[in-house]
Amino acid sequence: MAGKLDQLFVALKHWAVGFFPEAWQPLVSILLSIVPIIAVFGGLFAITTVIERKGLGRIQNRLGPNRVGIPLTNIRLFGFGQFIADGIKALIKEDVVPRAADKVVHFLAPIALVVPVLLGYSVLPFGRNMVPIDLDAGLLFFFAVGAGTELSLFMAGWGSRNKYSLLGAMRAIAQMISYEMPLVLSGLAVVMITGTLSLPKIVEAQNAYTGTIAHWHVFTPWGLAGFILFIISSLAEANRSPFDMPEAESEIIAGYFVEYSGFKFALFFLGEYLGMFAVAGLGITLFLGGWTAPFSWLTWIPSWAWFMGKLVTIVAVFIWIRGTVPRLRADQLMNFAWKFMLPMALLNIVVAGLWHFTGREGWNMIVRWLVCAGILIVPYLLLGRALETKFVKRVYRYAS
Amino acid sequence: MLGTGILQGMVETARNFVGSYTDEARLTTVEYPEQRIPLKEATRQFPFLVFDGSDPQAGLRCVACQICEKECPPQCIFIEKSKDKKPDYIGKPQFYPATFDIDISVCMSCQICVEVCPFEAIKMDNEFELSTTDRFGGLLTHKQQLAKPNEHYHKIHPTEAAEVDARLAADKAKAEAKAKTDADAKAKAAAEAKAKTAASPFPAIPVAAT
C-alpha cells in the first residue's frame, strides 16, 4: 500500500501514456512531466504569495490579508482568494512600454527569466523515480541554467533605458556573481563525497540509515556548514531579503523591473518565486536527503510528500528571515560574500576531503568529528570577528 | 559572535508571530470598515461652514468677506457675494455668500482659511470617507454640503468649539453692552436735551406758535 501511494504519480503517468499510440508516447510522456511541474509549482507560487503576506503581517503584529474569498458570497477562506484577485489585476492592467526602451529586449527579459528557471526543475528528483530527466550531470545543468537568469535581469535593466533599472541590474549582476561562487562551492563538497553529479544518485547516497537516523549530509560537519552557506547564497541568488538590494524599493524603487507593469511584472514575480523554489529544492536534494525520510520509522510517508514538506518548510524559513533581517548595504554585501562566504566555502571543501579520507569506526569517528568541526568553527569565529569590526558605530566628526 | 544577533532577531519575530495569534492585545491594527479607532480631537481633513440655529443657509456665520478665498494657497475656494444683507449674530447687517464652493480635490487641508477667518465661520471637519464615483463634480462641494451645525463642531472638536462659543458670546455681550450704553447715552443725551429745552427761559415751543 505504502509503495503504491509512493509511486502513485509514476503509475498514473504510465497509465495515461498507455492510451496513446506508440509513436506519440515519448512526446506525451514529456508533456505529462512538464504540465504537473508548472501546475504544482505555479500553485505553490500562488499560495506562497498569500502565506508570505500573512506571515509577514503576523511577524509585525498585523492580521495580513484575510478578506478575499469567493466572489459574491460571504465565504472568505481566510484571505486565500487573494492571489486570484492579484492575478486578474495583473492580467487586465495596461502594459506600459517606455518610448525609449529597447522594445525587443524589454519584451524578452521576463521570458528569459521564467524559461531557465523552469529548465532547472527538469533535473530535480521530486520523489522516488520522479525525476523528469535523469541527467548524469544534473547538478552542472542546474547551475548552468541558473546562471542564465542573470542575463534576464540585465536585459530588463538595460532594455528599459531607465537609470533606476540600470542601477538595479548592475547591483543584481554584482550580487549574483559574488554569491554564485559560494553556492557552487558548497554544492561541490557534496559532489566530492558522493562522487556523482546526478541528483537522483546524490539522493540515493543519503538514503541509508545508521540505527534510525538517515545519512543526510546535513548531519555531518561539512554538510551543516555547506547547507548554511548554500541557504545564504541561495537567498542572494533568489534576490530575497536580506539580499534584495537589486530591488530595494526604498532606494531605487524596484530596481530592474521598475518599467514593467501588468503581466510582464507578474512574470518577473513568478520567475523569482519559481527560482526560489528551485534553488530550495536543490538544497533539499544536496543536503536534506531529497525525498528520503529523516528516520527509518517514517519511511511509510510517500517520498514526494517528504520533498514537498521540506520545500514548504524552507520557504517558510525564507519568509521568516525576510520578516527579521533588514537589507544589507552594497559594501556589506560584497564584504560578506568575498571575506566570509568564499573562505568558508573553500574551507568546507578541505573539510569534506578530510572527512572522506578519515576513519569511520570507534575512536576514529569521534576524532574525525572533532577535527572537522574545529576546522570549521575556529575560522568561523575569526572571520566573524573580522567582519564585525567593520560594523562599528559610525562617528560623525563634524555633524554631531 | 557572528550570527547571534540574527538568531536573537529571529526569536523575537517568532515570538511576535505566535503572540499575534494568542494575544489579541498585540495586534496594532483594526479591521477598518467594521472596526474604527476613535479619531483624535485634532484630526482635520477638509473645511466646513458653521451655522447657528436651525436653518443651514440663514444661520451661516460666513459674511462673504472673501479673506479665505484670497489666502487659500491652492486657490480651492470660490465665493460669490450676495446682493442684499442680513443680520449676523450680533444683529449687524452683513453680506452672506450666494455661492461658496470648495474643491476638495485641490484643498491641501492646511487650515489657513480657518486661521484667517475673523467670523469663526469656517472650521476643519474630520470626515475622511469622501470617495466619489464622479471625480469632477463629486469632489466640488457646494454651500449646501458644506454647511454644518455648530453642534457638529462641538461634537468633533469640543475644546476648540467651547472656546469659540465663549469668544462669540463675549463679543455679543460686549456688543450688547455697547449698544445699551450707546442707547443709554443717546437716551440720556435726548433727556438732557429735553430737560435743557424744558428748563430754558425760552420754551421750545416758539412764541410765534401761540
Coordinates of all heavy atoms in Angstrom, one line a residue, chain A residues 158-231:
Chain A
W158 N 18.8 47.0 -18.6 CA 19.3 47.8 -19.7 C 18.3 48.1 -20.8 O 18.2 49.2 -21.3 CB 20.5 47.0 -20.4 CG 21.5 47.9 -21.0 CD1 21.5 49.3 -21.0 CD2 22.6 47.5 -21.7 NE1 22.6 49.7 -21.7 CE2 23.3 48.7 -22.1 CE3 23.2 46.3 -22.1 CZ2 24.5 48.6 -22.9 CZ3 24.3 46.2 -22.8 CH2 25.0 47.4 -23.2
G159 N 17.4 47.2 -21.0 CA 16.4 47.4 -22.1 C 15.4 48.4 -21.7 O 14.8 49.0 -22.6
S160 N 15.2 48.7 -20.4 CA 14.2 49.7 -20.0 C 14.6 51.1 -20.3 O 13.8 52.0 -20.3 CB 13.9 49.5 -18.5 OG 13.4 48.3 -18.2
R161 N 15.9 51.3 -20.4 CA 16.5 52.6 -20.5 C 16.0 53.6 -19.4 O 15.4 54.6 -19.6 CB 16.2 53.3 -21.9 CG 17.3 54.4 -22.1 CD 17.0 55.1 -23.4 NE 17.7 54.5 -24.5 CZ 18.2 55.2 -25.5 NH1 18.1 56.4 -25.6 NH2 18.9 54.6 -26.5
N162 N 16.3 53.1 -18.2 CA 15.9 53.9 -17.0 C 17.1 53.8 -16.1 O 17.7 52.7 -15.9 CB 14.6 53.3 -16.4 CG 14.2 54.0 -15.2 OD1 15.0 54.2 -14.3 ND2 12.9 54.2 -15.1
K163 N 17.4 54.9 -15.4 CA 18.6 54.9 -14.6 C 18.4 54.0 -13.4 O 19.4 53.3 -13.0 CB 19.0 56.3 -14.2 CG 19.5 57.1 -15.3 CD 19.7 58.5 -14.9 CE 20.1 59.4 -16.1 NZ 18.9 59.6 -16.9
Y164 N 17.2 54.0 -12.8 CA 17.0 53.1 -11.7 C 17.1 51.6 -12.1 O 17.7 50.8 -11.4 CB 15.6 53.4 -11.1 CG 15.5 54.7 -10.4 CD1 14.6 55.6 -10.7 CD2 16.3 54.9 -9.2 CE1 14.5 56.8 -10.1 CE2 16.2 56.1 -8.5 CZ 15.3 57.0 -9.0 OH 15.2 58.2 -8.3
S165 N 16.5 51.3 -13.3 CA 16.6 50.0 -13.8 C 18.0 49.5 -13.9 O 18.4 48.4 -13.5 CB 15.9 49.9 -15.1 OG 14.6 50.1 -15.0
L166 N 18.8 50.4 -14.5 CA 20.2 50.0 -14.8 C 21.0 49.9 -13.5 O 21.8 48.9 -13.3 CB 20.9 51.1 -15.7 CG 22.2 50.7 -16.2 CD1 22.1 49.5 -17.1 CD2 22.8 51.8 -17.1
L167 N 20.7 50.8 -12.5 CA 21.4 50.6 -11.2 C 21.0 49.3 -10.6 O 21.9 48.6 -10.1 CB 20.9 51.7 -10.3 CG 21.7 53.0 -10.3 CD1 21.0 54.1 -9.5 CD2 23.1 52.8 -9.9
G168 N 19.7 49.0 -10.6 CA 19.2 47.7 -10.1 C 19.9 46.5 -10.7 O 20.3 45.6 -10.1
A169 N 20.0 46.6 -12.1 CA 20.5 45.5 -12.8 C 22.0 45.3 -12.5 O 22.5 44.2 -12.3 CB 20.4 45.7 -14.3
M170 N 22.7 46.4 -12.4 CA 24.1 46.3 -12.0 C 24.3 45.8 -10.6 O 25.2 44.9 -10.4 CB 24.8 47.7 -12.2 CG 25.1 48.0 -13.6 SD 25.3 49.8 -13.9 CE 26.8 50.1 -13.2
R171 N 23.5 46.2 -9.7 CA 23.6 45.6 -8.4 C 23.3 44.1 -8.4 O 23.9 43.3 -7.8 CB 22.5 46.3 -7.5 CG 22.8 47.6 -7.0 CD 21.7 48.1 -6.2 NE 22.0 49.4 -5.5 CZ 21.3 49.9 -4.5 NH1 20.3 49.2 -4.0 NH2 21.6 51.0 -4.0
A172 N 22.3 43.7 -9.2 CA 21.9 42.3 -9.3 C 23.0 41.5 -9.9 O 23.3 40.4 -9.3 CB 20.7 42.2 -10.2
I173 N 23.7 42.0 -10.9 CA 24.8 41.3 -11.5 C 25.9 41.1 -10.5 O 26.4 40.0 -10.3 CB 25.3 42.0 -12.8 CG1 24.2 42.0 -13.8 CG2 26.6 41.3 -13.3 CD1 23.9 40.7 -14.4
A174 N 26.3 42.2 -9.9 CA 27.4 42.2 -8.9 C 27.1 41.2 -7.8 O 27.9 40.3 -7.4 CB 27.6 43.6 -8.3
Q175 N 25.8 41.2 -7.3 CA 25.4 40.3 -6.2 C 25.4 38.9 -6.6 O 25.9 38.0 -5.9 CB 24.1 40.8 -5.7 CG 23.5 39.8 -4.7 CD 22.1 40.3 -4.3 OE1 21.9 41.5 -4.1 NE2 21.2 39.4 -4.1
M176 N 24.8 38.6 -7.8 CA 24.6 37.2 -8.2 C 25.9 36.6 -8.6 O 26.1 35.4 -8.3 CB 23.6 37.2 -9.4 CG 22.2 37.5 -8.9 SD 21.1 37.4 -10.2 CE 20.1 36.0 -9.7
I177 N 26.8 37.3 -9.2 CA 28.1 36.7 -9.5 C 28.9 36.5 -8.2 O 29.5 35.4 -8.0 CB 28.9 37.6 -10.5 CG1 28.3 37.6 -11.8 CG2 30.4 37.2 -10.5 CD1 28.9 38.5 -12.8
S178 N 28.8 37.4 -7.2 CA 29.5 37.2 -6.0 C 29.0 36.0 -5.2 O 29.8 35.3 -4.6 CB 29.4 38.4 -5.1 OG 29.7 39.6 -5.7
Y179 N 27.7 35.7 -5.3 CA 27.2 34.7 -4.5 C 27.1 33.3 -5.2 O 26.8 32.3 -4.7 CB 25.8 35.1 -3.9 CG 26.0 35.9 -2.7 CD1 26.1 37.3 -2.8 CD2 26.0 35.4 -1.4 CE1 26.3 38.1 -1.7 CE2 26.2 36.2 -0.3 CZ 26.3 37.6 -0.5 OH 26.5 38.4 0.6
E180 N 27.2 33.4 -6.6 CA 27.3 32.2 -7.4 C 28.4 31.3 -6.9 O 28.3 30.1 -6.8 CB 27.5 32.6 -8.8 CG 27.2 31.4 -9.8 CD 25.8 31.5 -10.3 OE1 25.2 32.6 -10.3 OE2 25.3 30.5 -10.8
M181 N 29.5 31.9 -6.6 CA 30.7 31.2 -6.2 C 30.5 30.3 -4.9 O 30.7 29.1 -5.0 CB 31.9 32.2 -5.9 CG 33.2 31.7 -6.0 SD 33.8 31.8 -7.7 CE 34.4 33.5 -7.8
P182 N 30.1 30.9 -3.8 CA 29.9 30.1 -2.6 C 28.8 29.1 -2.8 O 28.8 28.0 -2.3 CB 29.5 31.1 -1.5 CG 29.3 32.4 -2.1 CD 30.0 32.4 -3.4
L183 N 27.8 29.4 -3.7 CA 26.7 28.5 -4.0 C 27.2 27.2 -4.6 O 27.0 26.1 -4.2 CB 25.7 29.1 -4.9 CG 24.4 28.4 -5.2 CD1 23.4 28.5 -4.0 CD2 23.7 28.8 -6.4
V184 N 28.0 27.4 -5.7 CA 28.6 26.3 -6.4 C 29.6 25.5 -5.5 O 29.6 24.3 -5.5 CB 29.2 26.7 -7.7 CG1 29.9 25.6 -8.4 CG2 28.1 27.4 -8.6
L185 N 30.4 26.3 -4.8 CA 31.5 25.6 -4.0 C 30.9 24.8 -2.9 O 31.4 23.7 -2.5 CB 32.4 26.6 -3.4 CG 33.4 27.3 -4.5 CD1 34.3 28.3 -3.8 CD2 34.2 26.2 -5.1
S186 N 29.7 25.3 -2.3 CA 29.1 24.5 -1.2 C 28.5 23.2 -1.8 O 28.5 22.2 -1.1 CB 28.1 25.3 -0.4 OG 27.1 25.8 -1.3
G187 N 28.0 23.3 -3.0 CA 27.5 22.1 -3.7 C 28.6 21.2 -4.0 O 28.4 19.9 -4.1
L188 N 29.8 21.7 -4.3 CA 30.9 20.9 -4.7 C 31.3 19.9 -3.7 O 31.7 18.7 -4.0 CB 32.1 21.8 -5.0 CG 33.3 21.2 -5.8 CD1 32.8 20.7 -7.1 CD2 34.4 22.2 -6.0
A189 N 31.2 20.3 -2.4 CA 31.5 19.3 -1.3 C 30.7 18.1 -1.4 O 31.2 17.0 -1.2 CB 31.3 20.0 0.0
V190 N 29.4 18.2 -1.7 CA 28.6 17.1 -1.9 C 29.1 16.2 -3.0 O 29.1 14.9 -2.9 CB 27.1 17.5 -2.1 CG1 26.2 16.3 -2.4 CG2 26.6 18.4 -1.0
V191 N 29.4 16.8 -4.1 CA 29.9 16.0 -5.3 C 31.2 15.2 -4.9 O 31.4 14.1 -5.3 CB 30.2 17.0 -6.5 CG1 30.7 16.2 -7.6 CG2 28.9 17.7 -6.8
M192 N 32.1 15.9 -4.1 CA 33.3 15.2 -3.6 C 33.0 14.0 -2.8 O 33.6 12.9 -3.0 CB 34.1 16.1 -2.8 CG 34.9 17.2 -3.6 SD 35.5 18.4 -2.5 CE 36.7 17.5 -1.6
I193 N 32.0 14.0 -2.0 CA 31.7 12.9 -1.1 C 31.0 11.8 -1.8 O 31.3 10.6 -1.7 CB 30.8 13.4 0.1 CG1 31.6 14.4 1.0 CG2 30.3 12.2 0.9 CD1 32.7 13.8 1.8
T194 N 29.9 12.2 -2.6 CA 29.1 11.2 -3.3 C 29.8 10.7 -4.6 O 29.5 9.6 -5.1 CB 27.7 11.7 -3.6 OG1 27.9 12.9 -4.4 CG2 27.0 12.0 -2.4
G195 N 30.6 11.5 -5.2 CA 31.3 11.1 -6.4 C 30.4 11.1 -7.6 O 30.7 10.4 -8.6
T196 N 29.3 11.9 -7.6 CA 28.5 11.9 -8.8 C 27.8 13.3 -8.9 O 27.7 14.0 -7.9 CB 27.3 10.9 -8.7 OG1 26.5 11.0 -9.8 CG2 26.5 11.0 -7.4
L197 N 27.5 13.7 -10.2 CA 26.8 14.9 -10.4 C 25.3 14.7 -10.7 O 24.6 15.6 -10.9 CB 27.4 15.6 -11.7 CG 28.7 16.4 -11.5 CD1 29.3 16.7 -12.8 CD2 28.5 17.7 -10.7
S198 N 24.9 13.5 -10.7 CA 23.5 13.1 -10.9 C 22.7 13.3 -9.6 O 23.0 12.7 -8.6 CB 23.4 11.7 -11.4 OG 22.1 11.2 -11.2
L199 N 21.6 14.1 -9.7 CA 20.9 14.4 -8.5 C 20.2 13.2 -7.9 O 20.2 13.0 -6.7 CB 19.9 15.6 -8.7 CG 20.6 16.9 -9.0 CD1 19.6 18.0 -9.4 CD2 21.4 17.4 -7.9
P200 N 19.5 12.3 -8.7 CA 18.9 11.1 -8.1 C 20.0 10.3 -7.4 O 19.7 9.7 -6.3 CB 18.3 10.4 -9.3 CG 18.1 11.4 -10.3 CD 19.2 12.4 -10.1
K201 N 21.2 10.2 -7.9 CA 22.2 9.4 -7.3 C 22.7 10.0 -6.0 O 23.0 9.3 -5.0 CB 23.4 9.2 -8.2 CG 23.1 8.3 -9.4 CD 24.3 7.5 -9.8 CE 24.0 6.6 -11.0 NZ 23.8 7.4 -12.3
I202 N 22.7 11.4 -5.9 CA 23.1 12.0 -4.7 C 22.0 11.7 -3.6 O 22.4 11.5 -2.4 CB 23.2 13.6 -4.9 CG1 24.4 13.9 -5.7 CG2 23.2 14.3 -3.6 CD1 24.6 15.3 -6.1
V203 N 20.7 11.7 -4.0 CA 19.7 11.4 -3.0 C 19.9 9.9 -2.6 O 19.8 9.6 -1.4 CB 18.3 11.6 -3.7 CG1 17.2 11.2 -2.7 CG2 18.1 13.0 -4.0
E204 N 20.1 9.0 -3.5 CA 20.3 7.6 -3.2 C 21.4 7.4 -2.2 O 21.3 6.6 -1.2 CB 20.6 6.8 -4.4 CG 19.4 6.4 -5.3 CD 18.4 5.6 -4.5 OE1 18.8 4.9 -3.5 OE2 17.2 5.6 -4.9
A205 N 22.5 8.2 -2.3 CA 23.6 8.1 -1.4 C 23.2 8.5 0.0 O 23.9 8.1 1.0 CB 24.7 9.1 -1.9
Q206 N 22.2 9.3 0.2 CA 21.7 9.7 1.5 C 20.6 8.8 2.0 O 20.2 9.0 3.1 CB 21.2 11.2 1.5 CG 22.3 12.2 1.1 CD 21.7 13.5 0.9 OE1 21.4 14.2 1.9 NE2 21.5 14.0 -0.3
N207 N 20.2 7.9 1.2 CA 19.0 7.0 1.5 C 19.5 5.8 2.2 O 19.4 4.6 1.7 CB 18.2 6.7 0.3 CG 16.9 6.0 0.6 OD1 16.5 6.1 1.7 ND2 16.3 5.4 -0.4
A208 N 20.2 5.9 3.4 CA 20.6 4.8 4.2 C 20.5 5.2 5.6 O 20.4 6.4 5.9 CB 22.1 4.5 3.9
Y209 N 20.4 4.2 6.5 CA 20.2 4.6 7.9 C 21.2 3.9 8.8 O 21.5 2.8 8.7 CB 18.7 4.2 8.3 CG 17.7 4.9 7.5 CD1 17.2 4.4 6.3 CD2 17.2 6.1 8.0 CE1 16.3 5.1 5.6 CE2 16.2 6.8 7.2 CZ 15.8 6.3 6.0 OH 14.9 6.9 5.3
T210 N 21.7 4.7 9.8 CA 22.5 4.2 10.9 C 21.6 4.2 12.1 O 21.2 5.3 12.6 CB 23.7 5.1 11.2 OG1 24.4 5.3 9.9 CG2 24.7 4.4 12.2
G211 N 21.2 3.0 12.6 CA 20.2 3.0 13.6 C 18.9 3.4 13.0 O 18.4 2.8 12.0
T212 N 18.4 4.5 13.5 CA 17.1 5.1 12.9 C 17.4 6.4 12.1 O 16.5 6.8 11.4 CB 16.1 5.3 13.9 OG1 16.6 6.2 14.9 CG2 15.6 4.0 14.6
I213 N 18.6 6.9 12.3 CA 18.8 8.3 11.7 C 19.4 8.1 10.3 O 20.3 7.3 10.0 CB 19.8 9.1 12.6 CG1 19.2 9.3 14.0 CG2 20.2 10.4 12.0 CD1 20.1 9.9 15.0
A214 N 18.9 9.0 9.4 CA 19.3 8.9 8.0 C 20.7 9.5 7.8 O 21.2 10.2 8.6 CB 18.3 9.7 7.1
H215 N 21.3 9.1 6.7 CA 22.6 9.6 6.3 C 22.5 10.9 5.6 O 23.2 11.1 4.5 CB 23.3 8.6 5.5 CG 23.9 7.4 6.2 ND1 24.7 6.5 5.7 CD2 23.6 7.1 7.5 CE1 25.0 5.6 6.7 NE2 24.4 5.9 7.8
W216 N 21.7 11.8 6.0 CA 21.6 13.1 5.3 C 22.9 13.8 5.5 O 23.6 13.8 6.5 CB 20.5 14.0 5.9 CG 19.1 13.5 5.6 CD1 18.8 12.4 5.0 CD2 17.9 14.2 6.0 NE1 17.4 12.3 4.9 CE2 16.9 13.4 5.5 CE3 17.6 15.4 6.6 CZ2 15.5 13.8 5.7 CZ3 16.3 15.8 6.8 CH2 15.3 15.0 6.3
H217 N 23.3 14.6 4.5 CA 24.6 15.3 4.5 C 24.6 16.4 5.6 O 25.6 16.8 6.1 CB 24.9 15.9 3.2 CG 25.2 14.8 2.1 ND1 24.9 15.0 0.8 CD2 25.8 13.6 2.3 CE1 25.3 13.9 0.2 NE2 25.8 13.0 1.0
V218 N 23.4 16.9 5.9 CA 23.3 18.0 6.9 C 23.7 17.5 8.3 O 24.0 18.3 9.1 CB 21.9 18.6 6.8 CG1 20.9 17.8 7.6 CG2 21.9 20.1 7.4
F219 N 23.7 16.2 8.5 CA 24.1 15.7 9.8 C 25.6 15.5 9.9 O 26.0 14.8 10.9 CB 23.4 14.3 10.1 CG 21.9 14.5 10.1 CD1 21.0 13.4 9.7 CD2 21.3 15.6 10.6 CE1 19.7 13.6 9.7 CE2 19.9 15.7 10.7 CZ 19.1 14.7 10.2
T220 N 26.4 16.0 9.0 CA 27.8 16.0 9.2 C 28.4 17.4 9.3 O 27.7 18.3 8.9 CB 28.5 15.3 7.9 OG1 28.1 16.1 6.8 CG2 28.0 13.9 7.7
P221 N 29.6 17.6 9.8 CA 30.1 19.0 10.0 C 30.1 19.7 8.6 O 29.7 20.8 8.5 CB 31.5 18.8 10.6 CG 31.5 17.4 11.1 CD 30.5 16.6 10.4
W222 N 30.7 19.1 7.6 CA 30.8 19.8 6.3 C 29.5 20.0 5.7 O 29.2 21.0 5.0 CB 31.7 19.0 5.4 CG 31.2 17.6 5.0 CD1 31.5 16.4 5.7 CD2 30.3 17.3 4.0 NE1 30.8 15.4 5.1 CE2 30.1 15.9 4.1 CE3 29.7 18.0 3.0 CZ2 29.2 15.3 3.2 CZ3 28.9 17.4 2.1 CH2 28.6 16.0 2.2
G223 N 28.5 19.0 6.0 CA 27.2 19.1 5.4 C 26.4 20.3 6.0 O 25.8 21.1 5.3
L224 N 26.5 20.4 7.4 CA 25.8 21.5 8.0 C 26.4 22.9 7.6 O 25.6 23.8 7.2 CB 26.0 21.4 9.6 CG 25.2 22.4 10.4 CD1 23.7 22.3 10.2 CD2 25.6 22.2 11.9
A225 N 27.7 23.0 7.5 CA 28.3 24.2 7.1 C 27.9 24.5 5.6 O 27.5 25.6 5.3 CB 29.8 24.2 7.2
G226 N 28.0 23.4 4.8 CA 27.6 23.6 3.4 C 26.2 24.0 3.2 O 25.8 24.9 2.4
F227 N 25.3 23.4 4.1 CA 23.9 23.7 4.0 C 23.6 25.2 4.3 O 22.9 25.9 3.6 CB 23.1 22.8 4.9 CG 21.6 23.1 4.9 CD1 20.9 22.9 3.8 CD2 21.0 23.5 6.1 CE1 19.5 23.1 3.8 CE2 19.6 23.8 6.1 CZ 18.9 23.6 4.9
I228 N 24.3 25.7 5.4 CA 24.1 27.1 5.8 C 24.6 28.0 4.7 O 23.9 29.0 4.3 CB 24.7 27.3 7.2 CG1 24.0 26.5 8.2 CG2 24.7 28.8 7.5 CD1 24.7 26.5 9.6
L229 N 25.8 27.7 4.2 CA 26.4 28.5 3.1 C 25.4 28.5 1.9 O 25.2 29.5 1.3 CB 27.7 28.0 2.7 CG 28.8 28.2 3.7 CD1 30.1 27.4 3.3 CD2 29.2 29.7 3.8
F230 N 24.9 27.3 1.6 CA 24.0 27.2 0.4 C 22.8 28.0 0.6 O 22.3 28.7 -0.3 CB 23.7 25.7 0.3 CG 23.0 25.4 -1.0 CD1 23.7 25.1 -2.2 CD2 21.6 25.4 -1.1 CE1 23.0 24.8 -3.4 CE2 20.9 25.2 -2.3 CZ 21.6 24.9 -3.4
I231 N 22.2 27.9 1.8 CA 20.9 28.7 2.0 C 21.2 30.2 1.9 O 20.4 30.9 1.3 CB 20.3 28.3 3.4 CG1 19.7 26.9 3.4 CG2 19.3 29.3 3.8 CD1 18.5 26.8 2.4

